[in-house]
Amino acid sequence: MGNKHAEERKPAKPKTPTFLLELPLVAEAGQAARVGAHLEVGRQFYNAVLSAGQQRLRRMRADPAWHAARAIPRTHKQERRAAFSALRERYGFSEYAFHELAKELRVFWLAEHLDAVLAQTLASRAYRSLNRVCVGKAKRVRFKSKGRGLSSIENKRNDTGMRFVLQTQDQGRPQGHLLWHDEKLRALIDWDDQVVAHGLAHEIKYARLVRRRASSPRAQGADSEGERYFVQLVLKGLPHHKPKHTAGSDTIGLDLGPASIAIVPRQAEANLVPLCAELRPDARAIRRLQRKMERQRRAANPEHYDERGRPKKRGKGAPRWKQSRGYQATRQRKAARERRLAAHRKSLHGRMVHEIVRVGNTIVTEKLSYRGWQKRYGRSVGRCAPGMLIDHLRRTVASTGGTLHEVPTCTTKLSQFCHGCGTFVPKPLWQRWHECPCGIGPVLRDLYSAFLTAYLDPAADFIPSCAQYVIPWEGAEARLRAAHERVIQRANEGQVLPRSMGIPRAGARLPQSRSEPTQEPVFLLRRGRLEAWKERENPRGLSPGSIQHSYSSFVMR
Ligand SMILES: [Zn+2]
């Protein structure tokens, strides 16, 4: 797409590596109120820029020239880019033009609350989100509502406006403060924490103020509104490297699933493990809260549902949805839970990444369409976030001097390949095993494809060939089998494994004789469903033969 600001940019400063450090802030009641007021102004300002920018975007897209530019084939790169950038210039749709817009909008009382640089960063933020709509990566932009407010604001530099300063004292350790207008918010610094000490020894590029809602106003460190404040320091340099995290030298093949990961190094032990299994209880608790919110929403808004409990169609002039106090409290608790889950997931990802990198820092994996996965396996992708894991892995591998190769699936087609006979046979999703008439297998499909990935040759453009696998397979077969046995052991210990791992939950899918009722009548009576049960007493006219048949087909599956 036409990218005007690329040429507008000054000769770019050499990019320096950056890392983040977050510190909690202590905000007294008065301070919290004043900082809250500044943030509220920031919110209104952001919405104003976003709204003006949205108008520009709409006008630009309504221009016939826009359709003409879109009609230019993608092969004519130069022409296409020129057409789009001319349009962007005409309608003022660029980061630079948004900064000009911010200057116009930052007037009167707004200016007292919002420094020019902060206004500029907010304008950039608005531009970036609108640009996502413009290039088709997002459908719409979100305005910041008054209830939720603006949750963060950042500066561009650390010498004026909002900034973080460390003050050395005569006795004791230095204290840190975030200065903004007349406020001085003290940061809680644990100097014994190596990560914190390492971070504060580096140059601060700029500071970001973050506001998060605690689970309730009584939560630790929260102000009377239930808000907590943090400062995120954007630092120049490399993050702290814990001595226990070392990098190995093996080459590793990864096969990532929506809820599992197969790790097959060339030498070390292979493994197939569920992703983020520890998050299951948290996710379940969140679902319970979601159900509670649904009940509370129904109780407060009976007029929005018909006699069968279905939500009514909403049109213009429909009554507003009411939010009870209980509903709001549940929502806040759920939000806190989600935040905790996200933090937990991040730490689990970190652990997994370090475990992988300890074995080797040359990693080959298939490039996957995470967006397609989100559509297909929404829930487990949402919980395990495999895309985030790969991003994390990429960063860590790069910081240790290794490489992460992402191989396009369309050329390798490893999930279909068999190295014994060189054929490509697509497998349906439910088939979790690779077993070929040529004598390869049975081996769990994810492990097999991770094995194939591990030995792909970058020199041969990652195209698999039979010859390259003959020797490795002899050594790997036993390792893959050992990995499979560990999976079975996990299942026997009662761990719940994702279905993609090919081992049904112990007992959960055991076939039962269908001639007997599956539930006790007493239980049904208690639920007042005895009538229903009686009606289906003789449900399926199954002859013994057909039971046998359905049983065996079940087993076959
Ligand atoms: Zn074969």
Side-chain angles (χ1 to χ4, degrees):
M1 282 273 161
N3 214 344
K4 187 159 182 311
H5 66 264
E7 45 195 71
E8 270 167 2
R9 228 177 263 154
K10 292 172 205 147
K13 275 190 234 163
K15 272 198 174 173
T16 47
T18 294
F19 69 106
L20 280 182
L21 176 70
E22 186 174 294
L23 300 168
L25 292 173
V26 184
E28 273 120 43
Q31 283 181 325
R34 287 189 294 270
V35 168
H38 297 329
L39 282 173
E40 171 60 15
V41 171
R43 178 189 77 87
Q44 291 179 10
F45 179 78
Y46 175 81
N47 282 348
V49 176
L50 198 65
S51 157
Q54 199 175 34
Q55 263 177 21
R56 290 182 181 189
L57 177 63
R58 282 189 185 143
R59 259 183 255 140
M60 179 167 81
R61 286 178 134 183
D63 191 324
W66 174 265
H67 294 277
R70 273 173 51 124
I72 301 171
R74 278 175 202 276
T75 44
H76 298 50
K77 257 189 195 163
Q78 295 268 318
E79 201 186 325
R80 210 178 143 92
R81 190 177 301 161
F84 277 119
S85 62
L87 269 165
R88 279 170 180 257
E89 173 133 34
R90 192 183 321 149
Y91 288 96
F93 192 77
S94 68
E95 192 163 356
Y96 177 73
F98 272 52
H99 288 173
E100 292 296 310
L101 177 67
K103 258 187 227 165
E104 287 166 31
L105 289 173
R106 197 181 74 90
V107 285
F108 309 126
W109 55 277
L110 280 174
E112 288 167 26
H113 288 274
L114 206 61
D115 334 358
V117 187
L118 297 192
Q120 224 176 54
T121 57
L122 282 173
S124 293
R125 221 159 118 184
Y127 169 72
R128 278 198 296 273
S129 59
L130 277 165
N131 194 42
R132 279 171 56 83
V133 177
C134 179
V135 299
K137 281 195 175 153
K139 288 218 169 118
R140 59 185 195 92
V141 287
R142 246 175 226 277
F143 288 83
K144 306 268 178 215
S145 72
K146 182 151 197 216
R148 287 171 178 268
L150 195 67
S151 58
S152 76
I153 196 160
E154 67 185 44
N155 203 343
K156 274 184 170 177
R157 47 207 284 186
N158 203 41
D159 49 1
T160 56
M162 190 176 74
R163 61 196 184 276
F164 188 80
V165 287
L166 272 179
Q167 284 162 331
T168 37
Q169 292 167 314
D170 300 340
Q171 62 229 11
R173 288 154 150 183
Q175 278 200 341
H177 294 276
L178 181 77
L179 309 182
W180 192 21
H181 298 292
D182 303 329
E183 309 309 327
K184 193 173 174 189
L185 301 168
R186 187 165 65 85
L188 298 173
I189 302 177
D190 176 9
W191 285 99
D192 295 324
D193 186 335
Q194 285 180 338
V195 176
V196 173
H198 171 88
L200 289 177
H202 285 71
E203 187 192 323
I204 300 170
K205 287 185 172 176
Y206 57 89
R208 181 183 299 139
L209 174 69
V210 179
R211 175 171 65 175
R212 293 203 188 99
R213 188 152 282 183
S215 61
S216 88
R218 290 185 303 280
Q220 198 189 2
D223 68 6
S224 59
E225 303 279 309
E227 308 278 12
R228 268 189 286 210
Y229 291 89
F230 299 85
V231 59
Q232 274 181 3
L233 301 176
V234 179
L235 301 153
K236 188 171 170 180
L238 293 172
H240 182 61
H241 209 78
K242 285 184 185 160
K244 66 176 183 189
H245 295 141
T246 52
S249 56
D250 211 341
T251 300
I252 305 175
L254 291 186
D255 184 87
L256 212 62
S260 66
I261 181 170
I263 308 162
V264 180
R266 288 196 181 177
Q267 268 108 45
E269 192 174 70
N271 247 324
L272 176 62
V273 284
L275 271 181
C276 302
E278 291 92 331
L279 295 183
R280 274 173 192 276
D282 295 349
R284 225 173 286 145
I286 288 175
R287 274 207 293 285
R288 270 200 299 278
L289 287 173
Q290 274 170 343
R291 287 200 296 272
K292 183 170 185 187
M293 278 166 68
E294 166 69 12
R295 288 194 301 273
Q296 288 173 327
R297 206 160 38 224
R298 275 175 187 274
N301 300 280
E303 69 276 15
H304 282 276
Y305 297 89
D306 66 10
E307 67 283 358
R308 287 170 63 187
R310 293 171 305 193
K312 281 185 195 163
K313 285 237 167 62
R314 270 181 287 173
K316 273 196 175 168
R320 284 178 64 87
W321 286 78
K322 291 191 268 303
Q323 295 186 350
S324 65
R325 273 179 196 259
Y327 175 81
Q328 283 169 353
T330 318
R331 188 174 68 186
Q332 196 163 355
R333 263 173 60 207
K334 180 179 151 265
R337 261 253 137 81
E338 307 241 37
R339 263 194 302 277
R340 220 178 303 152
L341 179 120
H344 190 182
R345 171 168 53 221
K346 208 170 195 176
S347 89
L348 292 174
H349 277 176
R351 212 167 65 196
M352 171 73 77
V353 163
H354 284 300
E355 269 170 31
I356 294 172
V357 174
R358 193 177 305 139
V359 177
N361 65 358
T362 308
I363 289 163
V364 190
T365 181
E366 280 188 301
K367 190 173 181 59
L368 293 162
S369 134
Y370 298 107
R371 187 144 302 177
W373 273 12
Q374 274 171 356
K375 284 185 188 151
R376 196 162 177 179
Y377 316 96
R379 190 182 285 178
S380 43
V381 169
R383 177 164 50 83
C384 309
M388 261 170 71
L389 176 68
I390 287 287
D391 289 342
H392 196 152
L393 188 63
R394 189 181 300 120
R395 286 196 303 271
T396 309
V397 164
S399 78
T400 61
T403 35
L404 176 85
H405 300 282
E406 281 187 281
V407 189
T409 338
C410 47
T411 55
T412 52
K413 288 188 279 189
L414 290 181
S415 63
Q416 307 177 4
F417 185 65
C418 169
H419 78 269
C421 46
T423 49
F424 289 90
V425 183
K427 295 183 191 70
L429 194 63
W430 53 261
Q431 195 182 321
R432 302 318 305 173
W433 296 84
H434 174 76
E435 192 168 12
C436 186
C438 71
I440 303 294
V443 51
L444 272 177
R445 156 187 185 162
D446 294 350
L447 281 169
Y448 183 63
S449 102
F451 156 76
L452 292 176
T453 330
Y455 291 92
L456 280 177
D457 190 1
D461 266 351
F462 299 106
I463 306 290
S465 71
C466 300
Q468 77 195 79
Y469 290 113
V470 176
I471 298 167
W473 178 244
E474 285 173 13
E477 204 180 350
R479 281 188 295 137
L480 297 192
R481 194 168 302 139
H484 177 213
E485 271 157 18
R486 274 196 294 279
V487 172
I488 295 177
Q489 203 178 339
R490 277 163 176 272
N492 289 344
E493 282 166 7
Q495 276 191 39
V496 180
L497 300 177
R499 244 183 309 167
S500 66
M501 286 170 67
I503 310 226
R505 235 178 289 179
R509 296 184 126 217
L510 280 187
Q512 289 173 335
S513 165
R514 296 195 178 179
S515 54
E516 283 170 33
T518 47
Q519 285 180 315
E520 295 292 320
V522 182
F523 173 71
L524 287 163
L525 184 63
R526 201 174 58 217
R527 292 219 165 177
R529 285 201 210 140
L530 187 60
E531 293 308 309
W533 178 72
K534 267 181 185 161
E535 274 171 29
R536 60 172 282 269
E537 197 170 22
N538 197 3
R540 312 172 183 97
L542 292 179
S543 65
S546 65
I547 288 175
Q548 201 63 46
H549 175 76
S550 62
Y551 174 81
S552 60
S553 70
F554 193 91
V555 171
M556 291 288 282
R557 231 175 286 144

